[in-house]
Amino acid sequence: MTDPAAYSALDSKRFGIRVFRAGADNVEAVLELVQFARSADLDLLIVRCPVEAVAAAQSLERAGGILTDTLVYYRGPTSSFAPSPASSTCIRLCQEADRAALEGIARASFTGFFGHYHADPRLDPVAATEGYVQWASSALADPASLVLVSETEGRLSGFLTARRLEAKTWEILLNGVAPEFQRRGIYAALLREIGCRARAQGASQVLVSTQLANLAPQKVWTRAGLELDHALYTFHWWKA
Ligand SMILES: CC(C)(COP(=O)(O)OP(=O)(O)OC[C@H]1O[C@@H](n2cnc3c(N)ncnc32)[C@H](O)[C@@H]1OP(=O)(O)O)[C@@H](O)C(=O)NCCC(=O)NCCS
């Protein structure tokens, strides 16, 4: 029989504890998970639960899980994306020479982020931020990922990573704009560019997610014609 949760090497290394991850959409699955977690060699279990599975979420609460975020997924047709109007920001593929600047933007934009790592007071917030930095940086070496950067006034101002999820769908994974360049439409321009590139490569849909509390990207997505598709709660269950 396979374990109901999978060991997360990345999370474990990042926080210096043993972390497992799982999904659960019904009460029986939650009970099985908690029984597994109590007997397994682990410190933290991260569980994603669809928001409509209220009984499963309540069961996680009763077992001692803490709600750490609500992920909202937006989906939309690539046909609604139009190229950016001429502006002072240029969008291009990220190069190896951009790595340090890319990491700097990820670090600045994800410090104190809304995600489940930062929301858990038992996890080191600096290590949580570095997780996003590492995620952005590793995309540069991943042949399946595409990394776009924006350049404004001669400096790298933002980035967006994406990959093909299925034949017709691209998923946008991580986005950030340096704080000093935010609220100038740079993220909207990055999104338009990835939408156009996905369409040019034969994709008809884009999928993207963030935390419910993170309003800025949701504003940009709805303006670009994306719609809320589904949502997941994230719970953290600590053994002791
Ligand atoms: C999300 C993010 C990429 C947006 O970048 P940006 O270049 O500032 O985005 P834009 O300027 O294109 O548009 C953002 C819109 O949200 C608004 N906005 C920005 N911060 C906001 C906030 N805290 N609450 C509500 N609206 C906000 C902006 O004013 C703008 O709307 P407007 O055109 O009506 O002024 C940037 O805020 C960021 O890096 N955040 C931290 C990382 C993150 O959340 N990444 C996305 C999830 S993976």
Side-chain angles (χ1 to χ4, degrees), residues 36 51-52 62 95 114 209:
F36 165 80
V51 293
E52 62 274 20
R62 273 194 299 275
Q95 311 291 331
F114 300 88
S209 63

Side-chain angles (χ1 to χ4, degrees), residues 34-214:
V34 173
Q35 192 181 23
F36 165 80
R38 289 201 168 111
S39 60
D41 178 18
L42 65 73
D43 299 297
L44 171 63
L45 175 65
I46 299 174
V47 188
R48 290 256 155 79
C49 172
V51 293
E52 62 274 20
V54 176
Q58 291 169 345
S59 177
L60 276 159
E61 287 181 321
R62 273 194 299 275
I66 57 164
L67 181 66
T68 48
D69 74 18
T70 303
L71 277 181
V72 285
Y73 285 79
Y74 282 71
R75 185 183 283 278
T78 55
S79 56
S80 61
F81 289 95
S84 289
S87 82
S88 55
T89 291
C90 132
I91 313 274
R92 60 169 174 80
L93 282 175
C94 189
Q95 311 291 331
E96 181 53 43
D98 300 317
R99 186 182 292 278
L102 172 73
E103 291 180 354
I105 295 170
R107 189 168 292 113
S109 56
F110 282 92
T111 295
F113 187 56
F114 300 88
H116 63 109
Y117 301 117
H118 287 98
D120 189 330
R122 294 184 63 175
L123 294 177
D124 174 8
V126 174
T129 300
E130 286 309 305
Y132 293 102
V133 175
Q134 197 188 343
W135 190 9
S137 192
S138 63
L140 201 48
D142 173 15
S145 292
L146 191 141
V147 185
L148 294 180
V149 286
S150 54
E151 224 177 86
T152 313
E153 295 152 14
R155 286 168 57 202
L156 235 57
S157 53
F159 73 94
L160 179 154
T161 75
R163 64 160 184 204
R164 188 184 292 275
L165 185 66
E166 301 148 1
K168 293 285 173 194
T169 308
W170 277 29
E171 182 172 18
I172 299 167
L173 291 168
L174 201 61
N175 336 249
V177 170
E180 63 271 32
F181 288 107
Q182 288 179 8
R183 296 186 180 233
R184 290 166 58 169
I186 292 172
Y187 179 52
L190 282 160
L191 182 72
R192 274 196 294 272
E193 180 66 23
I194 198 71
C196 292
R197 283 183 186 239
R199 186 175 60 228
Q201 303 269 330
S204 55
Q205 297 266 307
V206 290
L207 180 72
V208 63
S209 63
T210 194
Q211 288 68 28
L212 181 57
N214 196 2

